[in-house]
Amino acid sequence: MADPALDPTLDPASLADEDWRALLSPTEHAILRESATERPGTGRYLDNEEAGAYHCAGCGNALYDGRHKFHSGCGWPSFFQEVEPGALKTVRDTSHRMIRVEMRCARCGGHLGHIFEDAPQTPTGTRHCVNGAALVFVPEGEDPLQVLRAHREGRY
């Protein structure tokens, strides 16, 4: 099966829902493809402080540099900016009787979480509140494709 995380030339928009279900864990699918949210304090990477980068669990797109991660106390991994402009796309989210800024992976459109302007302690003043299951962490010095492959195989 074609996998956009392992083949950067593949257009993730060409995948049908059944393809995504075959590639992603049930939790990853619920979050990335159905905009679910993991329970606070339960997600992977919440307390990760290793040097490296965070990639989209759906398509492998680089999203965040570990140097931009901070502990916000919200229960989800938090970052103050994306790895580079254009890595994310934002949409207005009016669900749950709130007006929020939802962030999605710019490459595959996978739901990541929300952006809040409540982090004055950061250089940007923003908190990117990200579902850990939407991410794959690539330690500094490791090959992203190898880590993504190992993640898909359940070895990472």
Short mmCIF file of all heavy atoms in Angstrom, two decimals, residues 9-62:
data_model
loop_
_atom_site.label_atom_id
_atom_site.label_comp_id
_atom_site.label_asym_id
_atom_site.label_seq_id
_atom_site.Cartn_x
_atom_site.Cartn_y
_atom_site.Cartn_z
N THR A 9 6.48 11.83 -2.46
CA THR A 9 5.91 12.22 -3.75
C THR A 9 4.42 11.88 -3.83
O THR A 9 3.74 12.36 -4.73
CB THR A 9 6.65 11.55 -4.92
OG1 THR A 9 6.45 10.14 -4.86
CG2 THR A 9 8.14 11.86 -4.87
N LEU A 10 3.93 11.07 -2.91
CA LEU A 10 2.53 10.66 -2.92
C LEU A 10 1.65 11.78 -2.38
O LEU A 10 1.93 12.35 -1.32
CB LEU A 10 2.34 9.40 -2.07
CG LEU A 10 0.93 8.85 -1.99
CD1 LEU A 10 0.46 8.35 -3.34
CD2 LEU A 10 0.87 7.73 -0.97
N ASP A 11 0.59 12.10 -3.09
CA ASP A 11 -0.36 13.11 -2.64
C ASP A 11 -1.31 12.48 -1.63
O ASP A 11 -2.10 11.60 -1.99
CB ASP A 11 -1.14 13.66 -3.83
CG ASP A 11 -2.17 14.71 -3.44
OD1 ASP A 11 -2.21 15.11 -2.25
OD2 ASP A 11 -2.93 15.12 -4.33
N PRO A 12 -1.26 12.90 -0.36
CA PRO A 12 -2.15 12.31 0.64
C PRO A 12 -3.63 12.47 0.31
O PRO A 12 -4.45 11.67 0.77
CB PRO A 12 -1.81 13.07 1.92
CG PRO A 12 -0.47 13.64 1.70
CD PRO A 12 -0.37 13.90 0.23
N ALA A 13 -3.98 13.47 -0.49
CA ALA A 13 -5.39 13.67 -0.87
C ALA A 13 -5.90 12.52 -1.73
O ALA A 13 -7.11 12.34 -1.85
CB ALA A 13 -5.56 14.99 -1.60
N SER A 14 -4.99 11.74 -2.30
CA SER A 14 -5.41 10.62 -3.14
C SER A 14 -5.83 9.40 -2.33
O SER A 14 -6.37 8.45 -2.88
CB SER A 14 -4.28 10.23 -4.10
OG SER A 14 -3.19 9.65 -3.38
N LEU A 15 -5.63 9.41 -1.01
CA LEU A 15 -5.98 8.28 -0.17
C LEU A 15 -7.44 8.33 0.24
O LEU A 15 -7.95 9.38 0.65
CB LEU A 15 -5.10 8.25 1.08
CG LEU A 15 -3.77 7.52 0.96
CD1 LEU A 15 -2.86 8.18 -0.03
CD2 LEU A 15 -3.11 7.39 2.31
N ALA A 16 -8.08 7.20 0.15
CA ALA A 16 -9.46 7.06 0.62
C ALA A 16 -9.45 6.76 2.11
O ALA A 16 -8.41 6.39 2.67
CB ALA A 16 -10.16 5.93 -0.14
N ASP A 17 -10.59 6.87 2.75
CA ASP A 17 -10.66 6.61 4.19
C ASP A 17 -10.17 5.21 4.53
O ASP A 17 -9.48 5.03 5.53
CB ASP A 17 -12.08 6.83 4.71
CG ASP A 17 -12.13 6.73 6.22
OD1 ASP A 17 -11.43 7.52 6.89
OD2 ASP A 17 -12.84 5.84 6.74
N GLU A 18 -10.49 4.23 3.72
CA GLU A 18 -10.03 2.86 4.02
C GLU A 18 -8.51 2.75 3.96
O GLU A 18 -7.91 1.96 4.69
CB GLU A 18 -10.70 1.81 3.13
CG GLU A 18 -10.51 1.99 1.65
CD GLU A 18 -11.65 2.76 0.98
OE1 GLU A 18 -12.44 3.44 1.66
OE2 GLU A 18 -11.74 2.69 -0.26
N ASP A 19 -7.87 3.55 3.11
CA ASP A 19 -6.40 3.58 3.06
C ASP A 19 -5.85 4.15 4.37
O ASP A 19 -4.90 3.60 4.94
CB ASP A 19 -5.90 4.43 1.89
CG ASP A 19 -6.32 3.89 0.54
OD1 ASP A 19 -6.35 2.66 0.37
OD2 ASP A 19 -6.61 4.71 -0.36
N TRP A 20 -6.44 5.26 4.83
CA TRP A 20 -6.00 5.86 6.09
C TRP A 20 -6.20 4.88 7.25
O TRP A 20 -5.34 4.75 8.13
CB TRP A 20 -6.73 7.16 6.37
CG TRP A 20 -6.27 8.32 5.54
CD1 TRP A 20 -6.99 9.00 4.60
CD2 TRP A 20 -4.98 8.94 5.57
NE1 TRP A 20 -6.23 10.00 4.04
CE2 TRP A 20 -4.98 9.98 4.62
CE3 TRP A 20 -3.82 8.71 6.30
CZ2 TRP A 20 -3.89 10.80 4.40
CZ3 TRP A 20 -2.71 9.52 6.08
CH2 TRP A 20 -2.75 10.55 5.14
N ARG A 21 -7.32 4.17 7.26
CA ARG A 21 -7.58 3.20 8.33
C ARG A 21 -6.53 2.08 8.34
O ARG A 21 -6.17 1.58 9.40
CB ARG A 21 -8.98 2.61 8.21
CG ARG A 21 -10.06 3.59 8.60
CD ARG A 21 -11.45 2.93 8.57
NE ARG A 21 -12.47 3.93 8.78
CZ ARG A 21 -12.83 4.42 9.96
NH1 ARG A 21 -12.25 3.97 11.05
NH2 ARG A 21 -13.78 5.32 10.06
N ALA A 22 -6.06 1.70 7.17
CA ALA A 22 -5.04 0.65 7.09
C ALA A 22 -3.67 1.15 7.54
O ALA A 22 -2.86 0.37 8.06
CB ALA A 22 -4.95 0.12 5.65
N LEU A 23 -3.40 2.44 7.36
CA LEU A 23 -2.10 3.01 7.71
C LEU A 23 -1.99 3.44 9.17
O LEU A 23 -0.92 3.36 9.78
CB LEU A 23 -1.80 4.23 6.83
CG LEU A 23 -1.51 3.95 5.38
CD1 LEU A 23 -1.45 5.26 4.59
CD2 LEU A 23 -0.21 3.19 5.24
N LEU A 24 -3.08 3.94 9.75
CA LEU A 24 -3.05 4.56 11.07
C LEU A 24 -3.63 3.63 12.13
O LEU A 24 -4.47 2.79 11.84
CB LEU A 24 -3.87 5.86 11.05
CG LEU A 24 -3.46 6.92 10.03
CD1 LEU A 24 -4.49 8.05 10.00
CD2 LEU A 24 -2.07 7.45 10.34
N SER A 25 -3.18 3.84 13.36
CA SER A 25 -3.81 3.13 14.48
C SER A 25 -5.23 3.68 14.64
O SER A 25 -5.53 4.78 14.15
CB SER A 25 -3.01 3.34 15.76
OG SER A 25 -3.23 4.67 16.25
N PRO A 26 -6.11 2.96 15.33
CA PRO A 26 -7.46 3.50 15.54
C PRO A 26 -7.46 4.88 16.21
O PRO A 26 -8.23 5.76 15.83
CB PRO A 26 -8.13 2.44 16.42
CG PRO A 26 -7.44 1.17 16.04
CD PRO A 26 -6.00 1.57 15.81
N THR A 27 -6.57 5.10 17.18
CA THR A 27 -6.50 6.40 17.85
C THR A 27 -6.00 7.47 16.90
O THR A 27 -6.55 8.58 16.85
CB THR A 27 -5.60 6.32 19.09
OG1 THR A 27 -6.14 5.35 19.99
CG2 THR A 27 -5.49 7.67 19.79
N GLU A 28 -4.95 7.17 16.14
CA GLU A 28 -4.43 8.13 15.16
C GLU A 28 -5.50 8.49 14.14
O GLU A 28 -5.66 9.66 13.79
CB GLU A 28 -3.20 7.57 14.45
CG GLU A 28 -1.98 7.45 15.31
CD GLU A 28 -0.85 6.67 14.66
OE1 GLU A 28 -1.09 5.91 13.70
OE2 GLU A 28 0.29 6.81 15.13
N HIS A 29 -6.23 7.49 13.67
CA HIS A 29 -7.28 7.76 12.68
C HIS A 29 -8.37 8.65 13.28
O HIS A 29 -8.81 9.61 12.64
CB HIS A 29 -7.90 6.45 12.16
CG HIS A 29 -8.88 6.68 11.07
ND1 HIS A 29 -10.22 6.94 11.32
CD2 HIS A 29 -8.73 6.75 9.73
CE1 HIS A 29 -10.84 7.14 10.17
NE2 HIS A 29 -9.96 7.03 9.19
N ALA A 30 -8.81 8.34 14.49
CA ALA A 30 -9.86 9.14 15.12
C ALA A 30 -9.44 10.60 15.25
O ALA A 30 -10.23 11.51 14.99
CB ALA A 30 -10.22 8.56 16.49
N ILE A 31 -8.18 10.83 15.63
CA ILE A 31 -7.71 12.20 15.82
C ILE A 31 -7.44 12.88 14.48
O ILE A 31 -7.99 13.94 14.19
CB ILE A 31 -6.47 12.22 16.73
CG1 ILE A 31 -6.89 11.86 18.16
CG2 ILE A 31 -5.78 13.58 16.68
CD1 ILE A 31 -5.76 11.58 19.10
N LEU A 32 -6.60 12.28 13.66
CA LEU A 32 -6.18 12.92 12.42
C LEU A 32 -7.30 13.04 11.38
O LEU A 32 -7.40 14.06 10.69
CB LEU A 32 -5.01 12.16 11.80
CG LEU A 32 -3.67 12.31 12.51
CD1 LEU A 32 -2.70 11.22 12.07
CD2 LEU A 32 -3.08 13.68 12.26
N ARG A 33 -8.12 12.01 11.24
CA ARG A 33 -9.11 11.99 10.17
C ARG A 33 -10.52 12.38 10.63
O ARG A 33 -11.37 12.73 9.81
CB ARG A 33 -9.15 10.63 9.48
CG ARG A 33 -7.82 10.06 9.01
CD ARG A 33 -6.86 10.98 8.30
NE ARG A 33 -7.40 11.67 7.15
CZ ARG A 33 -6.80 12.68 6.56
NH1 ARG A 33 -5.64 13.12 6.97
NH2 ARG A 33 -7.35 13.27 5.52
N GLU A 34 -10.81 12.25 11.96
CA GLU A 34 -12.16 12.53 12.46
C GLU A 34 -12.19 13.66 13.48
O GLU A 34 -13.22 13.90 14.11
CB GLU A 34 -12.76 11.26 13.07
CG GLU A 34 -12.88 10.12 12.05
CD GLU A 34 -13.26 8.79 12.69
OE1 GLU A 34 -13.24 8.67 13.94
OE2 GLU A 34 -13.57 7.86 11.93
N SER A 35 -11.05 14.33 13.68
CA SER A 35 -10.93 15.48 14.59
C SER A 35 -11.26 15.16 16.04
O SER A 35 -11.76 16.01 16.77
CB SER A 35 -11.78 16.66 14.10
OG SER A 35 -11.35 17.07 12.82
N ALA A 36 -10.97 13.95 16.47
CA ALA A 36 -11.15 13.59 17.88
C ALA A 36 -10.05 14.24 18.72
O ALA A 36 -9.10 14.81 18.17
CB ALA A 36 -11.13 12.08 18.05
N THR A 37 -10.16 14.13 20.02
CA THR A 37 -9.17 14.67 20.95
C THR A 37 -8.85 13.60 21.99
O THR A 37 -9.77 12.98 22.53
CB THR A 37 -9.71 15.92 21.66
OG1 THR A 37 -10.01 16.91 20.67
CG2 THR A 37 -8.69 16.49 22.63
N GLU A 38 -7.56 13.40 22.24
CA GLU A 38 -7.20 12.45 23.28
C GLU A 38 -7.43 13.09 24.65
O GLU A 38 -7.44 14.31 24.78
CB GLU A 38 -5.74 11.99 23.12
CG GLU A 38 -4.73 13.11 23.25
CD GLU A 38 -3.35 12.76 22.71
OE1 GLU A 38 -3.19 11.71 22.05
OE2 GLU A 38 -2.42 13.54 22.94
N ARG A 39 -7.62 12.25 25.65
CA ARG A 39 -7.83 12.77 27.01
C ARG A 39 -6.57 13.48 27.49
O ARG A 39 -5.46 13.05 27.20
CB ARG A 39 -8.18 11.62 27.95
CG ARG A 39 -9.56 11.05 27.74
CD ARG A 39 -9.93 10.08 28.85
NE ARG A 39 -8.74 9.51 29.47
CZ ARG A 39 -8.42 8.21 29.47
NH1 ARG A 39 -9.21 7.34 28.90
NH2 ARG A 39 -7.32 7.78 30.05
N PRO A 40 -6.72 14.57 28.23
CA PRO A 40 -5.54 15.29 28.73
C PRO A 40 -4.68 14.39 29.60
O PRO A 40 -5.19 13.55 30.35
CB PRO A 40 -6.13 16.46 29.52
CG PRO A 40 -7.54 16.11 29.78
CD PRO A 40 -7.97 15.17 28.70
N GLY A 41 -3.38 14.56 29.47
CA GLY A 41 -2.43 13.82 30.27
C GLY A 41 -2.16 12.40 29.83
O GLY A 41 -1.40 11.68 30.48
N THR A 42 -2.77 11.97 28.73
CA THR A 42 -2.63 10.58 28.30
C THR A 42 -1.78 10.41 27.05
O THR A 42 -1.40 9.29 26.72
CB THR A 42 -4.01 9.94 28.00
OG1 THR A 42 -4.62 10.64 26.91
CG2 THR A 42 -4.92 10.00 29.22
N GLY A 43 -1.51 11.46 26.34
CA GLY A 43 -0.85 11.35 25.04
C GLY A 43 0.65 11.17 25.11
O GLY A 43 1.31 11.56 26.08
N ARG A 44 1.17 10.54 24.06
CA ARG A 44 2.62 10.38 23.97
C ARG A 44 3.26 11.75 23.77
O ARG A 44 2.64 12.66 23.26
CB ARG A 44 2.99 9.41 22.86
CG ARG A 44 2.52 9.82 21.48
CD ARG A 44 2.80 8.71 20.47
NE ARG A 44 2.34 9.11 19.15
CZ ARG A 44 1.77 8.28 18.30
NH1 ARG A 44 1.60 7.02 18.60
NH2 ARG A 44 1.39 8.71 17.12
N TYR A 45 4.48 11.86 24.22
CA TYR A 45 5.32 13.05 24.05
C TYR A 45 4.99 14.19 25.01
O TYR A 45 5.65 15.22 24.96
CB TYR A 45 5.33 13.57 22.61
CG TYR A 45 5.56 12.51 21.58
CD1 TYR A 45 4.68 12.33 20.53
CD2 TYR A 45 6.65 11.66 21.66
CE1 TYR A 45 4.88 11.35 19.57
CE2 TYR A 45 6.86 10.66 20.71
CZ TYR A 45 5.97 10.52 19.67
OH TYR A 45 6.17 9.54 18.73
N LEU A 46 4.02 14.04 25.88
CA LEU A 46 3.68 15.12 26.79
C LEU A 46 4.91 15.60 27.56
O LEU A 46 5.15 16.79 27.67
CB LEU A 46 2.58 14.68 27.76
CG LEU A 46 2.14 15.72 28.79
CD1 LEU A 46 1.56 16.95 28.08
CD2 LEU A 46 1.10 15.12 29.73
N ASP A 47 5.69 14.66 28.05
CA ASP A 47 6.86 15.02 28.86
C ASP A 47 8.18 14.82 28.13
O ASP A 47 9.24 14.86 28.75
CB ASP A 47 6.86 14.21 30.16
CG ASP A 47 5.65 14.54 31.02
OD1 ASP A 47 5.33 15.73 31.14
OD2 ASP A 47 5.03 13.60 31.55
N ASN A 48 8.13 14.59 26.83
CA ASN A 48 9.37 14.39 26.07
C ASN A 48 10.19 15.68 26.02
O ASN A 48 9.67 16.73 25.68
CB ASN A 48 9.05 13.93 24.64
CG ASN A 48 10.30 13.62 23.86
OD1 ASN A 48 11.26 13.08 24.38
ND2 ASN A 48 10.30 13.99 22.59
N GLU A 49 11.45 15.57 26.39
CA GLU A 49 12.34 16.73 26.35
C GLU A 49 13.58 16.46 25.49
O GLU A 49 14.53 17.24 25.52
CB GLU A 49 12.74 17.12 27.77
CG GLU A 49 11.56 17.60 28.58
CD GLU A 49 11.92 18.09 29.96
OE1 GLU A 49 13.11 18.30 30.24
OE2 GLU A 49 10.99 18.27 30.77
N GLU A 50 13.56 15.38 24.72
CA GLU A 50 14.69 15.07 23.84
C GLU A 50 14.79 16.07 22.70
O GLU A 50 13.78 16.63 22.27
CB GLU A 50 14.52 13.68 23.22
CG GLU A 50 14.69 12.52 24.14
CD GLU A 50 14.53 11.23 23.37
OE1 GLU A 50 15.39 10.93 22.51
OE2 GLU A 50 13.54 10.53 23.62
N ALA A 51 16.00 16.24 22.19
CA ALA A 51 16.20 17.09 21.00
C ALA A 51 15.72 16.32 19.78
O ALA A 51 15.96 15.12 19.65
CB ALA A 51 17.67 17.44 20.86
N GLY A 52 15.03 17.00 18.90
CA GLY A 52 14.54 16.37 17.68
C GLY A 52 13.39 17.15 17.08
O GLY A 52 13.19 18.33 17.40
N ALA A 53 12.63 16.47 16.25
CA ALA A 53 11.53 17.10 15.53
C ALA A 53 10.28 16.23 15.62
O ALA A 53 10.37 15.01 15.77
CB ALA A 53 11.91 17.33 14.07
N TYR A 54 9.14 16.87 15.50
CA TYR A 54 7.85 16.19 15.54
C TYR A 54 7.24 16.24 14.14
O TYR A 54 7.14 17.31 13.54
CB TYR A 54 6.93 16.86 16.55
CG TYR A 54 7.44 16.73 17.97
CD1 TYR A 54 8.40 17.59 18.48
CD2 TYR A 54 6.96 15.71 18.79
CE1 TYR A 54 8.87 17.45 19.78
CE2 TYR A 54 7.43 15.57 20.09
CZ TYR A 54 8.38 16.44 20.57
OH TYR A 54 8.84 16.30 21.85
N HIS A 55 6.84 15.07 13.66
CA HIS A 55 6.28 14.93 12.31
C HIS A 55 4.83 14.48 12.41
O HIS A 55 4.43 13.87 13.40
CB HIS A 55 7.08 13.91 11.51
CG HIS A 55 8.47 14.36 11.19
ND1 HIS A 55 8.88 14.63 9.91
CD2 HIS A 55 9.54 14.61 11.98
CE1 HIS A 55 10.14 15.01 9.93
NE2 HIS A 55 10.56 15.01 11.18
N CYS A 56 4.07 14.73 11.37
CA CYS A 56 2.68 14.29 11.29
C CYS A 56 2.65 12.76 11.23
O CYS A 56 3.33 12.15 10.39
CB CYS A 56 2.01 14.88 10.06
SG CYS A 56 0.31 14.31 9.80
N ALA A 57 1.87 12.14 12.11
CA ALA A 57 1.74 10.68 12.11
C ALA A 57 1.01 10.18 10.87
O ALA A 57 1.11 9.01 10.52
CB ALA A 57 1.00 10.21 13.37
N GLY A 58 0.31 11.07 10.19
CA GLY A 58 -0.40 10.66 8.98
C GLY A 58 0.47 10.64 7.76
O GLY A 58 0.55 9.64 7.04
N CYS A 59 1.17 11.74 7.51
CA CYS A 59 1.90 11.86 6.23
C CYS A 59 3.40 12.09 6.39
O CYS A 59 4.10 12.16 5.39
CB CYS A 59 1.30 12.97 5.39
SG CYS A 59 1.62 14.63 6.04
N GLY A 60 3.89 12.25 7.61
CA GLY A 60 5.31 12.45 7.82
C GLY A 60 5.80 13.87 7.68
O GLY A 60 6.99 14.15 7.84
N ASN A 61 4.91 14.81 7.40
CA ASN A 61 5.28 16.22 7.25
C ASN A 61 5.93 16.73 8.55
O ASN A 61 5.41 16.50 9.63
CB ASN A 61 4.02 17.04 6.94
CG ASN A 61 4.30 18.46 6.58
OD1 ASN A 61 5.31 18.78 5.97
ND2 ASN A 61 3.38 19.35 6.93
N ALA A 62 7.06 17.42 8.43
CA ALA A 62 7.68 18.03 9.61
C ALA A 62 6.79 19.16 10.12
O ALA A 62 6.40 20.03 9.35
CB ALA A 62 9.07 18.55 9.27
#
